[in-house]
C-alpha cells in the first residue's frame, strides 16, 4: 500500500490553465475573437453583465443599434453599469447619469457644468466587437495584434448555400456536455477524449447517445495533429455491414468541432462536415461556458425546424435539467458534469498518470505550449488569420464518413 499520509498536492499547471490578464494562457486566449453572448440576448433593452477571461464587462446595444462591450464599473465612482439605462447614444450610469457611447467615450455628465465632459475627455475601457451569425464576439488582446475573424468552412456561407448560421447556447441547461464549475481546459480536453464516450456515456451510465457512436463494441481509435490542432478518429464496423469513420477536432485556441453524436451509420455518406462550432470560453480560472455557431440545414429557404444539431444532447429517456438531478442519480448515472467538475476546480496535471488513451490530450497540451512559446518570441499563436484573401472557407477536420460494404471492400483492395 502506498500511504496517503503526508502526501503533498502540487499546484496546477498555471501557464496552461489560468486565463486572467497578464497570465500566459490569458494572453494567448486574448489574441483571438471570443464569443461573448448571443446578439438576441441584447434585444430586451437592458445591459448584460458578462464575465470572460476573469474580467467583468457590460454588453449592450444602444437604441441606434450599436453594440458596446465596456468595463463593468462606471469610470465616475465605480457603480456597475449593468444597472445603467440604454439610450439612443449609449449607456447611462444609474448613479449620476454619466453617458457612455458604445466605444466607451463619456459624452455627458449631467451633474457638471456644460462643456465639462468634453474637457475631462474620459473614455471607459472597451473592447472591439464583431457580429457574426447572431453571435457577439469580442477581441480582448493588444489592439495592434487584432486578427480577422476566421471564416471556417463550416459557417462560411459565402461558399455554401445549404445552411443558415444560427447562434445558440447549445450546451445549455439540458445538455450532457454542459460544464461550468471547473477550469476551461479540463472541459475542452474532453473533446479529444474519445474513450470517455465508450466508458462514461455507455458502459458506466448506460447508452447516453443511442447512436452508432456509443455502440457496445470497442471502436478503433486514433489521434493525429491537424492543420488547426488535434483530432481523434473513431472507426466502427457496424452490424449493418457499414463502416463509420468519425473525426472530432480541437481547433486552437478553444474551438470544439464535434461531429454528430446522433449518427446511426445507416446511410453511406462521404465527409459529412461537423455542423456545430462550439467555443469553450473561460469565464475565469474555475468556470467556463460553451457558445455555439450551428450550420443549420435549410428547408424551403429557412432553417429546417425538424433537424437536430449534431451535439444536441437532450435525451427523452432522461428528461429534466442536468443540474436538477438528485445526488443519488448523479452517482448512479454520472455525466460529463460529474466527471469534469470533480477533477478539482483546476485539474492538477502533476498528479495525473496519462496513459496511451490520453494521447490526444498530451498532443493538445503540446500545441498550447508551442503557442505560448510563439507568443513569448513575439510571433502569432496558431490559427491567427490576417490575410483577407486566405480568410475563405478555412478547412476544418471534423466529419463523418459512412462506407457501405462495397466501398469497404474497395478500400481494402
Ligand atoms: S458612478 Fe456612474 S455616474 Fe457616478
Ligand atoms: Fe462527454
Amino acid at each position: 500500500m502506498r500511504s496517503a499520509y503526508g502526501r503533498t498536492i502540487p499546484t496546477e499547471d498555471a501557464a496552461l490553465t489560468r486565463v486572467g490578464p497578464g497570465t500566459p494562457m490569458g494572453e494567448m486566449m486574448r489574441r483571438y475573437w471570443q464569443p461573448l453572448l448571443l446578439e438576441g440576448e441584447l434585444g430586451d433593452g437592458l445591459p448584460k453583465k458578462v464575465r470572460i477571461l476573469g474580467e467583468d464587462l457590460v454588453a449592450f446595444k444602444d437604441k441606434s443599434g450599436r453594440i458596446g462591450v465596456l468595463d463593468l464599473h462606471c469610470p465616475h465612482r465605480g457603480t456597475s453599469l449593468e444597472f445603467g439605462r440604454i439610450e439612443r447614444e449609449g449607456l447611462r450610469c444609474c448613479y449620476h447619469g454619466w453617458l457612455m457611447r458604445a466605444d466607451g467615450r463619456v459624452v455627458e455628465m449631467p451633474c457638471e457644468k456644460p462643456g465639462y465632459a468634453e474637457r475631462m475627455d474620459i473614455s471607459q475601457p472597451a473592447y472591439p466587437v464583431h457580429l457574426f451569425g447572431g453571435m457577439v464576439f469580442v477581441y480582448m488582446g493588444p489592439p495592434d495584434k487584432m486578427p480577422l475573424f476566421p471564416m471556417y468552412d463550416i459557417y462560411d456561407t459565402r461558399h455554401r448555400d445549404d445552411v443558415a448560421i444560427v447562434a445558440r447556447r447549445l450546451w445549455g441547461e439540458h445538455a450532457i456536455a454542459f460544464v461550468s464549475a471547473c477550469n476551461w481546459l479540463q472541459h475542452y480536453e474532453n473533446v479529444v477524449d474519445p474513450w470517455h464516450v465508450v466508458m462514461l456515456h455507455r458502459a458506466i451510465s448506460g447508452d447516453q447517445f443511442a447512436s452508432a457512436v456509443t455502440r457496445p463494441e470497442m471502436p478503433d481509435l486514433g489521434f493525429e495533429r491537424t492543420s488547426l490542432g488535434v483530432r481523434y478518429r473513431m472507426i466502427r464496423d457496424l452490424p449493418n455491414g457499414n463502416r463509420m469513420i468519425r473525426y472530432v477536432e480541437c481547433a486552437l485556441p478553444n474551438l470544439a468541432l464535434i461531429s454528430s453524436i446522433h449518427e446511426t451509420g445507416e446511410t453511406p455518406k462521404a465527409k459529412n462536415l461537423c455542423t456545430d462550432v462550439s467555443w469553450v470560453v473561460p469565464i475565469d480560472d474555475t468556470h467556463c461556458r460553451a457558445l455555439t455557431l450551428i450550420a443549420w440545414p435549410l428547408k424551403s429557404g429557412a432553417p429546417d425546424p425538424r433537424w437536430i444539431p449534431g451535439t444536441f444532447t437532450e435525451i427523452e429517456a432522461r428528461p429534466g435539467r442536468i443540474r436538477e438531478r438528485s445526488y443519488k442519480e448523479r452517482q448512479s448515472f454520472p455525466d460529463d458534469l460529474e466527471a469534469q467538475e470533480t477533477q478539482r476546480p483546476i485539474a492538477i496535471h502533476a498528479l495525473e498518470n496519462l496513459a496511451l488513451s490520453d494521447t490526444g490530450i498530451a498532443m493538445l497540451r503540446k500545441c498550447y505550449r508551442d503557442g505560448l512559446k510563439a507568443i513569448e518570441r513575439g510571433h502569432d499563436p496558431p490559427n491567427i488569420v490576417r490575410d483577407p484573401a486566405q480568410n475563405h472557407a478555412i478547412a476544418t477536420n471534423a466529419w463523418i464518413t459512412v462506407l457501405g460494404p462495397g466501398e469497404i471492400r474497395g478500400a481494402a483492395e
Side-chain angles (χ1 to χ4, degrees):
M1 179 190 290
R2 183 175 156 224
S3 171
Y5 177 78
R7 72 194 189 283
T8 53
I9 307 290
T11 54
E12 68 279 353
D13 188 341
L16 290 195
T17 54
R18 294 201 175 265
V19 291
T23 59
M25 186 55 77
E27 179 64 21
M28 182 162 165
M29 285 290 167
R30 282 169 174 76
R31 297 295 182 94
Y32 304 84
W33 288 97
Q34 296 286 346
L36 190 68
L37 77 178
L38 313 188
E39 186 188 8
E41 291 167 343
L42 296 176
D44 64 358
L46 294 170
K48 297 288 171 293
K49 177 184 172 183
V50 196
R51 190 164 166 77
I52 176 172
L53 299 178
E55 296 185 38
D56 287 320
L57 306 173
V58 65
F60 65 97
K61 185 187 262 189
D62 69 24
K63 291 194 173 163
S64 307
R66 288 175 293 245
I67 293 175
V69 175
L70 311 179
D71 184 88
L72 182 68
H73 296 283
C74 177
H76 180 214
R77 280 168 49 208
T79 293
S80 174
L81 294 170
E82 75 197 283
F83 298 106
R85 192 172 75 187
I86 291 177
E87 302 188 359
R88 197 175 61 80
E89 276 296 301
L91 179 62
R92 191 180 293 281
C93 177
C94 69
Y95 205 6
H96 312 94
W98 284 24
L99 179 68
M100 275 141 271
R101 290 193 314 220
D103 64 3
R105 170 112 174 132
V106 178
V107 290
E108 270 185 33
M109 297 176 183
C111 307
E112 307 299 331
K113 291 194 169 61
Y116 196 79
E118 288 75 17
R119 286 210 301 283
M120 286 281 277
D121 191 21
I122 291 173
S123 277
Q124 174 74 332
Y127 287 125
V129 169
H130 180 75
L131 202 56
F132 180 76
M135 187 83 78
V136 177
F137 291 83
V138 280
Y139 174 72
M140 301 170 67
D144 61 329
K145 298 208 165 9
M146 189 168 81
L148 297 174
F149 177 75
M151 293 300 287
Y152 291 114
D153 52 6
I154 295 170
Y155 56 63
D156 192 347
T157 48
R158 297 168 303 176
H159 293 274
R160 62 184 299 190
D161 56 9
D162 57 331
V163 294
I165 307 307
V166 176
R168 279 280 169 85
R169 292 183 188 267
L170 186 61
W171 295 3
E173 293 173 291
H174 294 281
I176 279 178
F178 179 74
V179 174
S180 71
C182 69
N183 182 254
W184 68 279
L185 182 58
Q186 63 215 53
H187 182 38
Y188 187 53
E189 286 175 341
N190 175 63
V191 175
V192 279
D193 180 0
W195 287 104
H196 96 279
V197 176
V198 177
M199 293 308 301
L200 179 70
H201 294 310
R202 167 94 204 186
I204 301 290
S205 292
D207 187 354
Q208 295 184 318
F209 298 169
S211 72
V213 176
T214 44
R215 286 202 50 78
E217 309 84 19
M218 282 294 184
D220 173 10
L221 290 168
F223 304 92
E224 55 198 41
R225 284 291 306 265
T226 65
S227 52
L228 301 174
V230 176
R231 72 177 179 182
Y232 78 69
R233 182 195 64 236
M234 173 187 275
I235 302 179
R236 282 191 181 280
D237 284 324
L238 305 173
N240 63 6
N242 292 343
R243 175 176 294 166
M244 178 184 73
I245 305 161
R246 178 173 180 267
Y247 293 100
V248 169
E249 183 179 31
C250 278
L252 266 59
N254 56 341
L255 282 71
L257 308 181
I258 303 176
S259 303
S260 179
I261 59 171
H262 308 299
E263 176 60 51
T264 60
E266 279 161 21
T267 315
K269 58 191 69 173
K271 210 173 165 181
N272 245 36
L273 267 192
C274 162
T275 56
D276 311 347
V277 180
S278 295
W279 280 258
V280 176
V281 184
I283 296 170
D284 52 31
D285 290 340
T286 52
H287 298 84
C288 62
R289 62 174 160 257
L291 291 163
T292 306
L293 287 180
I294 305 166
W296 200 294
L298 296 173
K299 188 168 188 195
S300 311
D304 182 351
R306 297 182 52 150
W307 182 79
I308 291 174
T311 53
F312 183 78
T313 48
E314 190 176 357
I315 291 180
E316 277 176 30
R318 300 199 311 114
R321 298 179 170 196
I322 195 148
R323 288 199 180 272
E324 290 172 0
R325 294 167 305 148
S326 67
Y327 184 54
K328 195 172 170 191
E329 191 189 348
R330 294 176 62 202
Q331 288 187 298
S332 306
F333 302 100
D335 230 310
D336 281 309
L337 187 143
E338 283 73 37
Q340 291 157 36
E341 288 189 352
T342 59
Q343 288 176 281
R344 298 183 175 87
I346 305 178
I348 299 176
H349 297 172
L351 287 176
E352 294 173 340
N353 293 286
L354 292 189
L356 292 177
S357 52
D358 302 308
T359 299
I361 286 159
M363 290 165 80
L364 185 62
R365 290 181 189 172
K366 170 84 166 61
C367 289
Y368 283 124
R369 289 203 181 88
D370 291 346
L372 295 179
K373 273 190 212 133
I375 293 175
E376 253 177 56
R377 291 192 200 108
H379 302 306
D380 278 337
N383 304 340
I384 291 290
V385 186
R386 300 202 179 279
D387 179 2
Q390 303 295 319
N391 197 20
H392 283 264
I394 299 168
T396 55
N397 307 287
W399 60 76
I400 293 177
T401 291
V402 177
L403 303 176
E407 293 170 292
I408 298 171
R409 275 196 301 277
E413 283 160 14

